[in-house]
């Protein structure tokens, strides 16, 4: 391939938003020559790699803006330490059927059993599946909403928690809520009803 054609392909790839192709063109050509790829196979190789790079970039961005404290997965969770936990139910949540149905899920149990780890793992799976995620503790969310309400920007701040497909509310019930704080939480939950999923963790049981 002549340098002129190579330069033109790189320039065109950059204009089309295909930076991986522009940067690794010589590598692609070398691999195609070594494997004696036909035209369609070569095109398939280039597009598949470009898609993989773009998808990985999307996932990294989604994880970054999700505000999750870490990005652990279910593979990192040792179910043997919690024999009373039904791993099948957790794996069922990991199918993300509840997210697709815009339903909610609650992870309840005493401190130290890994509720936040599981919640984050499910949220990471949601990010990889193309769903938007936002992570917050209930206490921090209430503080943010109260501060916004005090300066007349409650509606704008609510959108932060209404926009994502999955809102992870960690540490629900750890601190008591005043009446005005409970009202803010109620507003949020009612506005998200059947519009997006809430995944919460709590050391309290439903009564």
């Amino acid at each position: 391939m002549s340098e002129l054609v190579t330069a033109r392909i790189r320039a065109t790839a950059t204009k089309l938003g295909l930076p991986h192709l522009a940067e690794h063109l010589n590598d692609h050509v070398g691999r195609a020559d070594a494997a004696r790829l036909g035209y369609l196979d070569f095109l398939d190789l280039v597009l598949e790699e470009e898609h993989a790079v773009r998808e990985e970039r999307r996932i990294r961005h989604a994880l970054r803006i999700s505000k999750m404290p870490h990005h652990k997965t279910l593979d990192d969770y040792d179910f043997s330490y919690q024999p009373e936990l039904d791993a099948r139910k957790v794996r069922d949540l990991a199918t993300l059927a509840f997210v697709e149905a815009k339903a909610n899920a609650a992870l309840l149990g005493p401190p130290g059993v890994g509720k936040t780890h599981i919640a984050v793992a499910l949220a990471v799976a949601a990010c990889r599946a193309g769903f938007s995620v936002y992570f917050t503790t209930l206490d921090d969310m209430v503080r943010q909403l109260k501060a916004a309400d005090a300066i007349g920007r409650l509606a704008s701040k609510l959108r932060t928690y209404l926009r994502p497909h999955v809102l992870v509310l960690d540490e629900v019930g750890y601190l008591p809520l005043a009446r005005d704080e409970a009202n803010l939480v109620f507003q949020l939950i009612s506005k998200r009803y059947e519009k997006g999923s809430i995944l919460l963790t709590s050391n309290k049981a439903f009564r």
Side-chain angles (χ1 to χ4, degrees), residues 5-204:
V5 174
T6 300
R8 189 164 63 238
I9 291 175
R10 284 201 179 99
T12 303
T14 300
K15 291 176 182 177
L16 291 174
L18 303 173
H20 185 73
L21 171 57
E23 183 177 352
H24 297 278
L25 178 59
N26 288 341
D27 294 336
H28 290 324
V29 172
R31 289 165 59 189
D33 285 341
R36 298 176 179 264
L37 296 182
Y39 298 123
L40 290 179
D41 289 331
F42 176 66
L43 183 59
D44 182 53
L45 167 70
V46 170
L47 293 178
E48 183 62 30
E49 286 205 8
E50 192 68 41
H51 175 265
V53 169
R54 185 168 296 187
E55 184 66 6
E56 190 58 35
R57 191 184 308 124
R58 179 196 67 77
I59 292 170
R60 286 199 305 269
H61 176 72
L63 291 173
R64 185 171 63 253
I65 66 174
S66 71
K67 305 296 184 183
M68 283 187 277
H70 54 76
H71 301 148
K72 293 180 180 179
T73 68
L74 285 182
D75 291 335
D76 301 318
Y77 187 84
D78 191 347
F79 286 94
S80 66
Y81 279 97
Q82 301 297 335
E84 295 183 2
L85 177 63
D86 190 339
R88 292 173 299 177
K89 291 183 178 179
V90 177
R91 299 290 182 189
D92 185 55
L93 287 174
T95 67
L96 305 177
F98 78 99
V99 178
E100 293 175 355
K102 299 179 181 178
N104 303 320
L107 303 173
L108 311 178
V113 298
K115 299 185 299 295
T116 298
H117 182 149
I118 293 175
V120 167
L122 295 173
V124 168
C127 280
R128 291 193 170 276
F131 296 105
S132 55
V133 171
Y134 192 84
F135 179 101
T136 181
T137 63
L138 179 68
D139 184 52
D140 187 62
M141 184 186 76
V142 168
R143 280 201 308 270
Q144 296 286 340
L145 291 176
K146 286 180 67 177
D149 192 26
I151 60 174
R153 296 186 55 84
L154 178 60
S156 175
K157 194 61 184 179
L158 275 170
R159 285 195 289 274
T160 299
Y161 306 104
L162 295 174
R163 189 179 301 115
H165 295 110
V166 182
L167 175 64
V168 183
L169 279 181
D170 199 28
E171 300 180 355
V172 173
Y174 278 61
L175 297 174
L177 296 176
R179 178 182 289 272
D180 61 328
E181 295 172 335
N183 181 57
L184 289 172
V185 175
F186 176 77
Q187 283 188 59
L188 172 72
I189 292 176
S190 63
K191 288 179 183 295
R192 281 193 64 90
Y193 180 65
E194 294 188 339
K195 295 181 180 178
S197 297
I198 294 177
L199 176 59
L200 67 85
T201 74
S202 178
N203 62 350
K204 307 293 184 182

